[in-house]
């Protein structure tokens, strides 16, 4: 009897160990990317995420526990060096067996150049003025069209490394793409009344959202790397707001409203709070879509009626 129990325990232990070795260990950078990967891995495993909730991807630090998580990963899905420069060195040092998928390096990703200026249209006429237009705006996940492409990249990558579950990944990809298509339709309907609204971005993070949903964003207080605006930039913004007016500021929860007040110069301007990282949502498969539903609600109610 005793021997049977010991044998049974030994078998259980062996099964557990082999299950652990088989487990696909997937790490992601930010919550929206985690959400897309979690949709594809649904029913198989749960990915982990590097960026702490509330931290800015532009200026974060890699915690020791997260550094360890990357070390033991099989696959890392992330946006890329332009978004998270602090991740570049740790990722470059990883064992070559660890698969690294940067969405900024995927040819299927639609990429838009950084707008290194406060008021977009005015500066557009002066393209030869020494601005660097070669740098890509890293906020690529705010295009659901990009996300659709990535779902396929995620599914293919997972299937190569875990062929046993390939059919689950493939079904999950199809379902996730359908979900994004529906979300796109709902979003467009919800913001239909905002076609002529002039938006100003707090930090130039929403170019891809503008692009996918035809929003008119006239400028940004801080540039796409989220650096502090110069005095010159502030003056240009104040001038533009006084002369041409804007209807709504696309703000973000982690930023102070002092700059907004300073830029609006006492004019009361409606504010839509857009959280490009989905911080207040539970990490997981539903976060990406829930985050966009919030954007649509905020944008729909911001500006003149
Ligand atoms: Zn940003």
């Amino acid at each position: 009897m005793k021997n049977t129990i010991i044998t049974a325990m030994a078998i259980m232990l062996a099964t557990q160990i082999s299950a652990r070795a088989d487990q696909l260990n997937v790490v992601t950078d930010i919550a929206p990317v985690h959400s897309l990967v979690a949709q594809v891995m649904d029913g198989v495993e749960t990915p982990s995420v590097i960026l702490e909730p509330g931290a800015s991807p532009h200026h974060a630090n890699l915690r020791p526990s997260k550094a360890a998580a990357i070390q033991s990963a099989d696959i890392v899905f992330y946006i890329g060096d332009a978004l998270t420069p602090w991740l570049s060195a740790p990722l470059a040092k990883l064992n070559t067996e660890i698969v690294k998928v940067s969405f900024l390096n995927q040819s299927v990703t639609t990429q838009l150049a950084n707008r290194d200026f406060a008021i977009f249209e005015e500066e557009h006429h002066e393209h030869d003025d020494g601005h660097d237009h070669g740098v890509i705006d890293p906020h690529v996940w705010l295009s659901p069209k990009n996300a659709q492409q990535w779902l396929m990249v995620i599914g293919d990558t997972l299937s190569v490394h875990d062929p046993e579950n390939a059919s689950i990944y493939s079904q999950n990809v199809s379902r996730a793409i359908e979900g994004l298509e529906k979300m796109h339709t709902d979003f467009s309907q919800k913001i239909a009344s905002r076609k002529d609204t002039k938006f100003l971005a707090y930090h130039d993070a929403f170019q891809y959202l503008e692009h996918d949903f035809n929003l008119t964003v006239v400028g940004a207080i801080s540039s796409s790397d989220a650096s502090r605006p110069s005095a010159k930039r502030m003056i240009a913004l104040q001038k533009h707001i006084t002369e041409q007016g804007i209807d709504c500021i696309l703000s973000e929860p982690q930023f102070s409203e002092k700059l907004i007040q300073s830029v609006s110069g006492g004019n009361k301007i409606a504010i839509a709070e857009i959280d490009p990282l989905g911080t207040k949502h539970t990490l997981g498969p539903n976060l990406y879509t829930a985050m966009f539903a919030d954007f649509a609600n905020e944008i729909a109610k911001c500006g003149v009626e």
Side-chain angles (χ1 to χ4, degrees):
M1 184 63 190
K2 205 175 173 190
N3 273 349
T4 324
I5 292 171
I6 291 170
T7 314
M9 280 175 64
I11 291 171
M12 269 169 59
L13 199 64
T15 324
Q16 274 176 8
I17 288 167
S18 77
R20 203 166 297 152
D22 279 353
Q23 225 173 49
L24 203 58
N25 191 349
V26 177
V27 176
T28 61
D29 56 350
I30 56 173
V33 168
H34 175 273
S35 177
L36 296 170
V37 175
Q39 288 182 53
V40 181
M41 296 186 78
D42 192 27
V44 182
E45 291 293 343
T46 306
S48 63
V49 68
I50 298 168
L51 192 77
E52 307 284 342
S56 161
H58 302 289
H59 316 290
N61 292 308
L62 188 62
R63 295 255 179 103
S65 64
K66 304 290 180 178
I70 299 176
Q71 296 283 350
S72 60
D74 297 303
I75 307 174
V76 181
F77 290 107
Y78 68 116
I79 296 293
D81 297 344
L83 179 70
T84 50
W86 48 278
L87 259 182
S88 304
L91 286 177
K93 275 187 234 145
L94 286 183
N95 186 325
T96 48
E97 278 170 22
I98 299 174
V99 179
K100 291 174 279 181
V101 180
S102 157
F103 294 117
L104 279 172
N105 290 343
Q106 303 295 312
S107 59
V108 294
T109 303
T110 296
Q111 307 201 5
L112 303 169
N114 250 343
R115 299 181 288 200
D116 190 17
F117 31 83
I119 301 298
F120 305 146
E121 275 181 13
E122 285 173 5
E123 298 274 338
H124 250 257
H125 305 295
E126 311 167 21
H127 257 187
D128 299 324
D129 56 358
H131 281 312
D132 180 6
H133 294 279
V135 182
I136 295 301
D137 179 343
H139 302 88
V140 278
W141 73 95
L142 295 179
S143 159
K145 287 179 188 165
N146 275 342
Q148 277 196 35
Q149 299 292 331
W150 301 348
L151 286 167
M152 288 184 267
V153 173
I154 295 163
D156 290 348
T157 309
L158 291 170
S159 297
V160 166
H161 295 276
D162 180 22
E164 256 177 58
N165 290 308
S167 66
I168 299 179
Y169 297 137
S170 153
Q171 283 167 23
N172 286 348
V173 167
S174 304
R175 199 177 53 205
I177 288 176
E178 269 173 41
L180 284 189
E181 280 168 353
K182 185 181 177 298
M183 181 197 90
H184 203 280
T185 311
D186 292 348
F187 197 110
S188 303
Q189 281 169 359
K190 205 155 219 173
I191 64 157
S193 63
R194 290 283 156 242
K195 239 188 340 206
D196 301 318
T197 303
K198 285 189 277 182
F199 295 95
L200 179 74
Y202 183 92
H203 117 263
D204 192 10
F206 308 116
Q207 191 175 184
Y208 293 92
L209 198 69
E210 294 164 49
H211 197 253
D212 273 25
F213 296 103
N214 290 318
L215 295 171
T216 307
V217 181
V218 298
I221 299 175
S222 139
S223 61
S224 69
D225 62 359
S227 54
R228 276 193 74 82
S230 64
K232 190 178 161 221
R233 190 177 175 113
M234 291 297 280
I235 292 165
L237 286 162
Q238 284 160 348
K239 183 167 174 278
H240 183 89
I241 292 172
T242 314
E243 289 170 3
Q244 321 231 357
I246 53 155
D247 306 309
C248 171
I249 293 181
L250 303 175
S251 185
E252 292 168 58
Q254 65 267 45
F255 296 116
S256 106
E257 281 183 19
K258 265 194 193 153
L259 272 179
I260 293 180
Q261 273 157 18
S262 154
V263 126
S264 60
N267 296 309
K268 186 127 183 67
I269 303 169
I271 292 176
E273 194 177 277
I274 307 279
D275 175 8
L277 296 167
T279 309
K280 71 172 198 237
H281 293 283
T282 310
L283 201 63
N286 298 326
L287 179 141
Y288 191 85
T289 312
M291 182 179 93
F292 274 85
D294 281 355
F295 297 173
N297 288 334
E298 284 287 311
I299 290 170
K301 69 178 191 212
C302 196
V304 277
E305 294 308 320

